Amino acid sequence: MYLGLLGTASLAFLFKGKYKSKLSKIDFIVSVITWIGLLGFVTETTILTPAFWKIVTVIAFLWDISFTMLLKDYEDKEILEELPIAVRRVWMLITLVIMIGPLYYGLFKYSFL
């Protein structure tokens, strides 16, 4: 179900034109690759090698942190601009953990355990 929710949300952004910048397109590609790893974990299917998934896990995690915290251009700028920068960063980090924490938990178990 979780994978379906992630995929549906990303496809909605893709079809509604939210992925217009190059960074957003890269984020979508990184997301699809991590979903494939999560699918392998959930179905207990070996897809490629564990070494590949270790590299993907680390790079994708670093990408998501940097994209979310530093690079992403948020739509609700008015709401976020009212908050102090420290509060904004904490809010983005909490949202990131809630939204993609389960993805990286599964990907980590698939890669390293």
Side-chain angles (χ1 to χ4, degrees):
M1 280 180 51
Y2 174 72
L3 190 57
L5 290 172
L6 283 178
T8 302
S10 289
L11 287 174
F13 282 120
L14 182 65
F15 289 126
K16 288 192 170 204
K18 303 292 181 192
Y19 284 102
K20 291 189 178 194
S21 73
K22 289 181 183 180
L23 291 176
S24 294
K25 290 176 184 175
I26 292 169
D27 184 56
F28 182 75
I29 292 168
V30 169
S31 295
V32 170
I33 293 169
T34 58
W35 301 339
I36 293 168
L38 184 61
L39 182 65
F41 170 70
V42 170
T43 61
E44 298 177 357
T45 305
T46 302
I47 302 172
L48 300 174
T49 65
F52 172 80
W53 290 111
K54 287 176 185 174
I55 293 168
V56 166
T57 300
V58 171
I59 291 173
F61 182 72
L62 293 174
W63 168 259
D64 273 336
I65 293 288
S66 63
F67 182 73
T68 301
M69 301 296 281
L70 306 172
L71 305 173
K72 190 173 183 180
D73 185 25
Y74 289 92
E75 295 172 5
D76 297 329
K77 289 181 183 177
E78 304 85 35
I79 295 170
L80 290 177
E81 285 177 355
E82 295 174 7
L83 298 173
I85 189 74
V87 174
R88 268 189 266 174
R89 297 293 184 224
V90 169
W91 176 253
M92 288 185 252
L93 187 60
I94 290 169
T95 304
L96 181 73
V97 168
I98 291 170
M99 296 301 291
I100 63 171
L103 169 70
Y104 283 103
Y105 174 77
L107 202 54
F108 177 81
K109 288 188 76 169
Y110 187 58
S111 304
F112 292 97
L113 301 179

